[in-house]
Amino acid sequence: RLNQKAGYMLDLVESLFELTKVSSGAAECKKEEIDLIRLLEQTIGLVDDQLSAAGLRVRRQYTTPSLSVTTDGSRLHQVFANLLGNAIKYALFGTRIYLEVKQTETECSVRMVNTASYEMDFQPEEILQRFARGDKARSTQGSGLGLAIARTYTESVGGQFQVVIDGDQFHAIVRLPL
């Protein structure tokens, strides 16, 4: 149990250190052309077992089978991994995660929506702060860094990150310039 807690603390310190480097501009952004749809599918594939265990299914709505963007693929992968991780932890068992990708002439957007398993009694800006947790009753899951990392990484690649709360629906929106 101590080893498990020590590993968790090490992961937490490393995440916080990386977040601080990215937010201060000390970590270099490595932009390259990637297929956004493929990156999303690979990220979903990596957590497929966890999605199944949580009784969650991903419903995709892509306007195109592939979408080329110039960005830092590893940072964007972490953004989507964090969003899926949050859904796995906090979504209502047996529901769906809706994943929508849209493209305009100047940008693309990725919207991920899930139904919360608890009453979300917080404002979107609150949950984006470091160490903020939406479900204050939980004490065993999450560090409160996932959404802060997602926003910081999205902004570091020139994108915008937004959270919208609509009743029990949690919306995370990532906008990227084309």
Side-chain angles (χ1 to χ4, degrees):
R1 184 168 256 205
L2 285 174
N3 281 339
Q4 183 182 18
K5 293 289 183 183
Y8 172 78
M9 291 304 294
L10 180 62
D11 290 345
L12 181 63
V13 169
E14 287 174 355
S15 293
L16 187 57
F17 182 65
E18 187 63 26
L19 176 61
T20 302
K21 284 187 351 187
V22 171
S23 62
S24 70
E28 187 177 321
C29 187
K30 298 174 183 150
K31 290 191 175 183
E32 60 187 342
E33 191 170 317
I34 65 163
D35 181 345
L36 183 63
I37 303 296
R38 185 174 181 196
L39 177 69
L40 283 165
E41 289 299 318
Q42 288 173 341
T43 307
I44 292 166
L46 290 173
V47 296
D48 194 46
D49 290 344
Q50 296 169 3
L51 288 165
S52 294
L56 299 171
R57 289 175 296 159
V58 178
R59 300 294 282 238
R60 299 151 174 91
Q61 184 178 10
Y62 302 150
T63 56
T64 179
S66 67
L67 178 57
S68 181
V69 294
T70 302
T71 190
D72 187 319
S74 64
R75 286 190 190 171
L76 212 51
H77 164 73
Q78 189 63 55
V79 168
F80 299 132
N82 286 7
L83 293 177
L84 287 166
N86 275 1
I88 289 165
K89 289 177 197 165
Y90 303 118
L92 185 63
F93 184 88
T95 59
R96 289 162 296 286
I97 299 170
Y98 292 94
L99 180 60
E100 175 187 67
V101 178
K102 290 185 177 179
Q103 177 183 359
T104 67
E105 289 184 23
T106 58
E107 72 175 16
C108 65
S109 66
V110 177
R111 178 184 295 260
M112 200 175 293
V113 181
N114 66 271
T115 303
S117 62
Y118 62 96
E119 185 175 350
M120 293 184 286
D121 60 350
F122 54 83
Q123 296 299 312
E125 264 313 301
E126 290 176 60
I127 199 68
L128 293 173
Q129 302 304 313
R130 291 180 188 178
F131 304 110
R133 300 187 52 184
D135 187 355
K136 294 166 183 57
R138 292 187 186 218
S139 60
T140 58
Q141 293 185 356
S143 62
L145 288 176
L147 292 175
I149 289 171
R151 177 169 72 172
T152 300
Y153 282 21
T154 300
E155 290 173 353
S156 77
V157 299
Q160 299 172 344
F161 186 85
Q162 180 183 11
V163 167
V164 175
I165 307 296
D166 183 13
D168 289 339
Q169 300 294 304
F170 182 88
H171 300 246
I173 306 154
V174 175
R175 289 187 178 86
L176 300 166
L178 289 178

